[in-house]
Amino acid sequence: MFTTRPEILGTFGVVTSTHWLATASGMAMLEKGGNAFDACAAAAFVLQVVEPHLVGPAGDMPAVFYSAETKKVEVLCAQGPAPAAATIKAYKDLGIDIIPGDGLLSTVIPGAFGGWMTMLRDHGRLPLREVLEPAISYFENGHPMLPRVSDTIAGLSDLFTREWPSSGAVYLPGGNVPKGRELFRNPAAAATYKRILAEAEAAGGDRQKQIQAAHDCWYKGFVAEAMDAFCRTETPMDSTGRRHKGLLTAQDMAGWTPHYEAPASVTYHDWEVFKIGPWGQGPVFLQTLKILEGFDLSAMGPASPEFIHHVAEAMKLAFADREAYYGDPDFVKVPLATLLSDDYARGRRALIANEASLDIRPGTIPGFEAQVAQALANIRIAGQHGATVGEPTLASMVASSRRGDTVHIDVIDRWGNMVAATPSGGWLQSSPVIPELGFPLNSRAQAFFLEEGLPSSLAPGKRPRTTLTPTIAFENGEPRLAFGTPGGDQQEQWQLGMFLRRVHHGLNLQEAIDLPLFHTQHFPSTFYPREARPGHLTVEESVGEAVLADLIRRGHELERAPAWTVGRLTAAEKSADGLLRAAATPRLMQAYAIGR
């Protein structure tokens, strides 16, 4: 079949990400003798520069990786938790029932930097200077601004001028909206990374010691001090329509470190798929696979109404369970073994009919009846509670730019290391820029509920239920795929369509990515104002009128999306013969794959 670009093939290494400059920077690390971990980190730091509306230095990051040295798949959790002062009572005392999607009250401990330093320290090869050099150069010397970033800034220009002047100082140089495709600089952010690097190198010792010094500079040094001072002294406007200080402190920063943990996984035919645990939405993908295992998807066309319907209905059931059961397992009991079991999937599969369901139907596991009932009672239906905003949460931003909140990177090197990472948060629209640092804090706390008794209820030190969900997959016991996508609640859904087409229809990565994509917003959104749209199904209209008509006949509340507007997938593969492959979506015209 025709594809918009070739599937990349090579033997030395492949890198794919949501921006060509990040992909090229990652490949440069492989050429210098670095491995997949060096390449992934370098690409991630560049993405903070070139896609600041989707990721920033103070964001968060989960990675799923396979180490050729340890022969294990692990999760690196760099999702920062809620500050010590972030209690439900603290928000209720401010008259807040839903955590705003912007401003300082929505900030958790920024975890991404610690995650990248941990990855480099434990698994990388190159000196920190070489990994940070591309990002510092683009911050300092300039990079071509994406038109989409320019549009986002234009939509926020009044807010930046009236309410968030520190953001205006960075993103409205000379008081003007920067033009797309022209050079843009952020010297303050460059200075922050240059100072971190200088202090790390001044610590002396080997590369591991210097990387640890950089970590400490962020969490125990001048970066933490600047964040603490900003949260204590500034009162920016947020989406509540009022001004609030932040709750994050230097003590919160100093007391946190990233960690490794075992992935969640299921078998699916000849495959084993690895995701992050129920502190994120990763198990939704796994649950959906187990539900679909009893259907003959290979007999359905990869863009047929039967395929889209069955996948969408299975996702509705899995996402309903996300609302009822998922949360930080360090704080709440999550019956994950049951949710991923064959018996449970069999019961859920029986609920799928030929017609679309308009009900949100979590399963009921003994002992969790009250929790399920409370989760259902807490659901907000779109249109019944005022205007929706969407992620990343500011109405002015949504009016000026497509929804989207994340970036993604996949790397496979010549030694067989595989990394899939999905950094996010710290968007330029999250909160005001901290002048001393050149970037804003994150807004991930909006994923918490302010009602007691839910698995995602707010608590100090608790991880918010993230949407970030990279994937590693094995075929017949061998490491095969690394893939992922931006897209908030749509991340699992777009990845699932690609993976199933690769598994059941024999498509290569680029073919599977290029086919029309789809997703549902049937369940409550993770992002403010957290509303559900029962029966909703978005499908790219390039599937054809006959398919769209069939889906409408089945009862789906169909939203037609223009061709090439849904999904931002990237993927990398190591074939059984050792050949490396990579692909990237043509949608938005900025993702790219490289390999040789």
Side-chain angles (χ1 to χ4, degrees):
M1 64 177 275
F2 171 80
T3 57
T4 55
R5 53 187 70 175
E7 183 185 52
I8 298 299
L9 304 175
T11 57
F12 175 79
V14 289
V15 183
T16 181
S17 83
T18 49
H19 195 291
W20 69 89
L21 290 179
T23 298
S25 299
M27 193 68 193
M29 299 301 113
L30 298 183
E31 298 287 0
K32 291 181 177 184
N35 61 19
F37 304 100
D38 299 303
C40 188
F45 283 113
V46 170
L47 287 170
Q48 296 172 7
V49 186
V50 298
E51 293 194 300
H53 62 318
L54 304 177
V55 69
D60 33 37
M61 180 275 287
V64 185
F65 65 90
Y66 170 78
S67 167
E69 181 177 345
T70 66
K71 309 297 183 187
K72 292 196 307 183
V73 177
E74 294 183 85
V75 169
L76 175 56
C77 176
Q79 174 57 68
T87 64
I88 291 175
K89 183 178 185 302
Y91 286 87
K92 295 289 189 180
D93 287 348
L94 295 171
I96 293 174
D97 293 320
I98 301 177
I99 296 176
D102 56 81
L104 298 182
L105 279 179
S106 60
T107 294
V108 299
I109 296 170
F113 187 83
W116 297 122
M117 293 304 103
T118 299
M119 178 180 287
L120 290 171
R121 183 196 66 207
D122 297 343
H123 299 283
R125 295 184 171 195
L126 296 178
L128 181 60
R129 175 172 291 277
E130 292 199 29
V131 175
L132 287 178
E133 193 170 42
I136 292 173
S137 178
Y138 286 127
F139 268 138
E140 190 166 43
N141 302 318
H143 66 280
M145 174 169 279
L146 292 170
R148 193 166 301 276
V149 181
S150 176
D151 291 344
T152 299
I153 294 169
L156 295 165
S157 59
D158 287 345
L159 175 70
F160 286 178
T161 300
R162 291 182 287 103
E163 300 292 348
W164 295 3
S166 59
S167 294
V170 172
Y171 290 107
L172 298 172
N176 301 311
V177 175
K179 295 180 180 179
R181 305 192 187 283
E182 293 189 357
L183 283 180
F184 178 80
R185 298 172 176 84
N186 186 341
T192 294
Y193 277 127
K194 289 170 74 173
R195 181 175 172 184
I196 290 172
L197 188 57
E199 293 191 15
E201 292 178 337
D206 59 15
R207 60 176 295 280
Q208 283 87 359
K209 183 176 179 181
Q210 291 184 13
I211 291 169
Q212 184 60 47
H215 176 281
D216 292 345
C217 186
W218 183 283
Y219 291 95
K220 300 178 182 179
F222 80 94
V223 175
E225 292 168 1
M227 292 176 177
D228 179 291
F230 195 77
C231 287
R232 281 188 290 106
T233 60
E234 299 297 320
T235 55
M237 181 73 71
D238 57 39
S239 55
T240 66
R242 290 174 284 151
R243 302 179 185 278
H244 295 106
K245 294 182 179 181
L247 301 175
L248 181 70
T249 68
Q251 187 174 359
D252 293 318
M253 298 281 288
W256 178 83
T257 56
H259 68 275
Y260 298 104
E261 60 186 41
S265 67
V266 298
T267 57
Y268 179 76
H269 299 294
D270 295 332
W271 292 78
E272 186 174 11
V273 182
F274 302 90
K275 302 287 281 187
I276 68 172
W279 52 272
Q281 66 179 10
V284 165
F285 189 101
L286 306 180
Q287 281 195 247
T288 308
L289 287 180
K290 298 306 291 183
I291 293 170
L292 291 171
E293 200 168 24
F295 295 111
D296 186 5
L297 297 185
S298 298
M300 305 176 190
S304 67
E306 294 82 9
F307 177 83
I308 295 170
H309 171 77
H310 282 83
V311 174
E313 291 302 297
M315 290 191 299
K316 290 178 184 179
L317 296 170
F319 274 103
D321 283 340
R322 183 191 74 168
E323 295 308 302
Y325 295 106
Y326 290 18
D328 185 345
D330 292 341
F331 283 74
V332 296
K333 183 179 180 182
V334 182
L336 191 60
T338 298
L339 293 169
L340 299 181
S341 68
D342 291 334
D343 286 345
Y344 186 78
R346 190 176 300 111
R348 302 295 275 157
R349 187 181 309 127
L351 297 175
I352 296 178
N354 289 325
E355 296 78 36
S357 171
L358 303 183
D359 298 320
I360 299 173
R361 301 179 290 177
T364 301
I365 296 173
F368 291 85
E369 292 87 352
Q371 181 175 300
V372 171
Q374 185 177 357
L376 285 170
N378 199 55
I379 290 173
R380 297 161 56 90
I381 304 300
Q384 296 182 6
H385 299 86
T388 60
V389 181
E391 78 261 32
T393 72
L394 290 177
S396 52
M397 176 267 170
V398 171
S400 65
S401 177
R402 285 179 50 78
R403 286 163 46 150
D405 65 332
T406 307
V407 297
H408 186 78
I409 311 149
D410 302 300
V411 188
I412 305 176
D413 63 28
R414 64 186 186 271
W415 299 286
N417 298 299
M418 291 185 177
V419 188
T422 312
S424 184
W427 312 306
L428 64 86
Q429 59 271 35
S430 295
S431 63
V433 165
I434 301 172
E436 300 93 329
L437 302 179
F439 54 81
L441 289 163
N442 62 75
S443 55
R444 186 62 63 182
Q446 67 181 293
F448 285 117
F449 285 104
L450 293 180
E451 290 78 28
E452 299 282 2
L454 295 168
S456 292
S457 298
L458 175 67
K462 187 177 183 179
R463 288 172 287 183
R465 192 194 71 204
T466 182
T467 56
L468 311 176
T469 176
T471 313
I472 293 285
F474 282 27
E475 184 183 23
N476 295 317
E478 295 295 323
R480 185 72 68 230
L481 288 172
F483 58 96
T485 180
D489 295 312
Q490 285 74 51
Q491 289 182 34
E492 302 296 3
Q493 306 187 59
W494 298 336
Q495 290 183 68
L496 191 68
M498 184 207 74
F499 177 73
L500 292 171
R501 288 161 170 169
R502 165 69 182 79
V503 170
H504 289 287
H505 303 105
L507 302 182
N508 71 36
L509 296 181
Q510 195 65 51
E511 290 170 338
I513 286 173
D514 279 2
L515 277 178
L517 290 169
F518 57 95
H519 64 262
T520 175
Q521 296 174 39
H522 173 84
F523 47 85
S525 169
T526 298
F527 298 92
Y528 179 91
R530 313 203 58 152
E531 295 177 331
R533 298 174 62 187
H536 169 270
L537 181 65
T538 290
V539 185
E540 285 185 304
E541 60 187 9
S542 47
V543 296
E545 292 300 324
V547 173
L548 296 173
D550 188 291
L551 293 169
I552 292 172
R553 180 184 59 78
R554 292 172 185 264
H556 294 281
E557 298 289 334
L558 194 73
E559 179 179 346
R560 299 168 61 114
W564 308 112
T565 61
V566 174
R568 293 183 64 200
L569 288 154
T570 69
E573 178 173 353
K574 183 180 180 181
S575 298
D577 60 2
L579 192 65
L580 304 181
R581 304 168 181 267
T585 182
R587 297 162 176 91
L588 304 189
M589 299 296 289
Q590 64 208 53
Y592 229 80
I594 295 178
R596 74 166 178 86

